[in-house]
Amino acid sequence: MKTSQRKKGYFLFFFFPLFFFYPFLIPLSAEKQAKAKEEALVRPDLKAIEEALFNLINSEREKNGLSRLHFSSRLSSLARQHSQEMAAKNRLSHFSSDEKSYCDRLVSQGFFFIQAGENIARSETFNPFVIHQSMMTSSEHRANILHPDFDEIGLGVAQGEGGNYFITQDFIQSLPVLTEEEARNKVISIIQAFRQAQALPELSVEEEINGVAQLFARAKAKKTPPPPIPSHLGEVLIINLVTPLLNDLAEIEKPLLEPKYRAIGAGVDFGRDPDHPGGTYFVTLLLIPGFPPASLSPVGMREMILNLLNKFRLESSLRPLKLKHSLCRKAEQIGLDYFNQKNRMMTSVELLPQQTGICYLTESLDSFPQGIKIWLQSPYLLYAGIYVSLVKTKDFPLGVYLVAIILE
């Protein structure tokens, strides 16, 4: 009998409390439901919370058609340190204890980046689902999480003395740092693709011009005066560009598509400046006009010289000269002999009686040296032999016209 009473009392003891609390479980708020759900979870360690937040962020991006973020251990170390500082001071701030902003901290730790963003939060719960949903309800936090250009993330979670959790999410659009050669090759390949798309010939890449352009780019990065342009390069178009994105050359595309340019040199240096604390490329391009025009044949160049000679004679009321092919072959011979000499100043060559040979180098076929006019003024001249060739010399590494003329 005693045993039976004990069982009855045991039953009433547990049934009564259940009946008593049951009405209060029905109207629980969403906040209390979340807290109850949290209490049912096994309390994870801080790195587990970070990992869960990382997965939730990437799931969110995938739902919005964005690429996943890469987890960065270095960024996470930075984020973790910032969360620990906030937890120690029990306050939210984007500034560290030494008053450095997120951007300052990235630079001091040697990060290279194009853009950066940071989310910080304080939470009474360690539930990553609740933390993430809270972040997504904030327009600023949501914008960072769904930023289409960000590609790396670091996460840090720390717990303060009061039990609150401090969360830091650090985002960047990373900036790959290329070597000078890699960067130069990339820039030039983009330029050649521009020209190919417009049915223009590729530019000749000259090592000497590359070297000069590199000195310009380095001076731009160091904010020092640029070096002088070697005089023998002649006319040079200098283009300077500061950009973290080497494939974004749209703003300088127009001059790159001008048909008159034949040669190019590119210099690229990497560094930081106030407008690009995360790093940027300093690009200098040197464009050299080309000659002869692609459509001008050796015969065409010879005709240009003959027309130039006859224009002067007609202006002087003298009969025009006729082209004599036997003299053209002889002009080629004396021209090549002249080219092999050390001294290549304009010179005249005594040939057969009543024949005069003239040799010179010129960067343009539109004019000739003033000294030629002395021989052209003879009223007895009837024929001309002409040889024209494009050659390269130490003084003219990009090319120069070798012209040999025989007057008879």
Side-chain angles (χ1 to χ4, degrees):
M1 194 67 175
K2 291 180 179 179
T3 302
S4 175
Q5 288 176 345
R6 287 177 184 171
K7 285 183 177 180
K8 186 176 181 180
Y10 183 84
F11 176 79
L12 290 175
F13 179 79
F14 283 94
F15 175 80
F16 179 75
L18 180 62
F19 178 81
F20 181 80
F21 285 107
Y22 181 73
F24 295 93
L25 293 176
I26 295 174
L28 282 179
S29 66
E31 181 181 354
K32 289 183 178 180
Q33 288 181 28
K35 188 173 182 180
K37 183 178 180 182
E38 176 185 339
E39 290 172 351
L41 297 173
V42 177
R43 185 178 297 268
D45 62 22
L46 300 181
K47 286 193 176 182
I49 301 174
E50 295 169 2
E51 184 177 349
L53 288 173
F54 171 71
N55 291 329
L56 287 167
I57 287 172
N58 272 332
S59 295
E60 200 74 54
R61 289 177 65 87
E62 288 178 335
K63 283 193 297 184
N64 286 271
L66 300 172
S67 59
R68 292 176 62 86
L69 299 173
H70 300 289
F71 180 81
S72 168
S73 299
R74 290 181 63 213
L75 269 180
S76 291
S77 177
L78 197 69
R80 204 168 290 126
Q81 181 181 352
H82 189 60
S83 289
Q84 289 167 355
E85 286 190 1
M86 290 192 296
K89 292 188 174 184
N90 195 31
R91 70 180 180 90
L92 283 176
S93 176
H94 284 287
F95 289 87
S96 59
S97 56
D98 54 359
E99 296 304 317
K100 286 184 177 179
S101 67
Y102 172 44
C103 182
D104 295 333
R105 298 195 299 275
L106 285 172
V107 172
S108 66
Q109 293 300 313
F111 284 89
F112 296 111
F113 56 94
I114 300 171
Q115 300 180 77
E118 182 175 71
N119 290 345
I120 57 173
R122 175 169 45 198
S123 174
E124 295 180 355
T125 175
F126 63 84
N127 189 325
F129 300 96
V130 176
I131 295 172
H132 177 69
Q133 289 305 315
S134 176
M135 290 282 195
M136 291 301 293
T137 57
S138 162
S139 59
E140 293 84 356
H141 294 161
R142 180 186 178 90
N144 280 334
I145 290 172
L146 298 181
H147 196 300
D149 295 328
F150 288 154
D151 55 10
E152 289 190 19
I153 185 174
L155 300 106
V157 178
Q159 188 174 16
E161 291 184 1
N164 288 330
Y165 293 87
F166 289 82
I167 301 96
T168 302
Q169 298 172 344
D170 284 343
F171 305 84
I172 64 168
Q173 179 185 0
S174 59
L175 174 56
V177 181
L178 305 179
T179 65
E180 288 180 5
E181 184 178 1
E182 290 171 337
R184 179 186 299 114
N185 291 341
K186 183 171 184 177
V187 169
I188 290 177
S189 66
I190 292 171
I191 293 171
Q192 304 289 34
F194 280 167
R195 291 177 65 86
Q196 185 178 16
Q198 298 297 319
L200 293 170
E202 286 192 353
L203 296 169
S204 172
V205 182
E206 306 287 344
E207 286 306 313
E208 182 193 8
I209 311 177
N210 278 344
V212 177
Q214 188 61 47
L215 294 177
F216 266 78
R218 192 167 295 134
K220 188 75 174 177
K222 306 299 182 187
K223 293 181 173 56
T224 57
I229 294 286
S231 59
H232 66 265
L233 292 181
E235 178 187 344
V236 179
L237 175 66
I238 304 173
I239 301 175
N240 289 308
L241 177 67
V242 180
T243 177
L245 299 170
L246 288 178
N247 56 351
D248 185 13
L249 305 181
E251 65 179 273
I252 60 170
E253 183 176 348
K254 185 176 180 180
L256 297 175
L257 297 179
E258 290 190 20
K260 71 175 184 177
Y261 293 112
R262 182 187 72 85
I264 186 172
V268 186
D269 202 48
F270 185 84
R272 303 181 195 264
D273 70 4
D275 294 328
H276 305 89
T280 191
Y281 289 97
F282 298 84
V283 182
T284 297
L285 302 175
L286 303 184
L287 295 176
I288 313 292
F291 47 83
S295 60
L296 201 59
S297 65
V299 173
M301 291 189 288
R302 187 170 62 193
E303 291 294 331
M304 280 188 68
I305 296 295
L306 181 63
N307 292 336
L308 196 64
L309 298 177
N310 283 332
K311 179 182 178 183
F312 174 77
R313 285 183 62 83
L314 290 173
E315 290 173 352
S316 302
S317 301
L318 298 169
R319 73 179 74 183
L321 301 174
K322 294 181 180 181
L323 195 67
K324 195 172 184 178
H325 291 286
S326 60
L327 291 180
C328 289
R329 291 191 292 271
K330 197 169 185 178
E332 179 179 1
Q333 181 181 346
I334 68 168
L336 295 177
D337 290 341
Y338 163 78
F339 182 70
N340 290 326
Q341 296 175 3
K342 291 184 179 180
N343 183 6
R344 299 195 186 100
M345 299 294 289
M346 188 192 78
T347 184
S348 62
V349 182
E350 289 297 333
L351 301 170
L352 296 175
Q354 300 181 339
Q355 286 185 352
T356 301
I358 306 163
C359 300
Y360 61 92
L361 298 177
T362 180
E363 294 181 85
S364 172
L365 296 179
D366 296 330
S367 62
F368 49 73
Q370 290 295 317
I372 294 182
K373 294 181 180 180
I374 298 174
W375 292 285
L376 287 176
Q377 289 174 344
S378 172
Y380 304 107
L381 292 177
L382 300 174
Y383 303 102
I386 300 170
Y387 171 73
V388 186
S389 177
L390 185 64
V391 297
K392 292 185 178 182
T393 70
K394 182 179 179 180
D395 293 331
F396 299 96
L398 298 180
V400 66
Y401 294 109
L402 166 63
V403 180
I405 303 171
I406 295 179
L407 301 175
E408 183 181 72

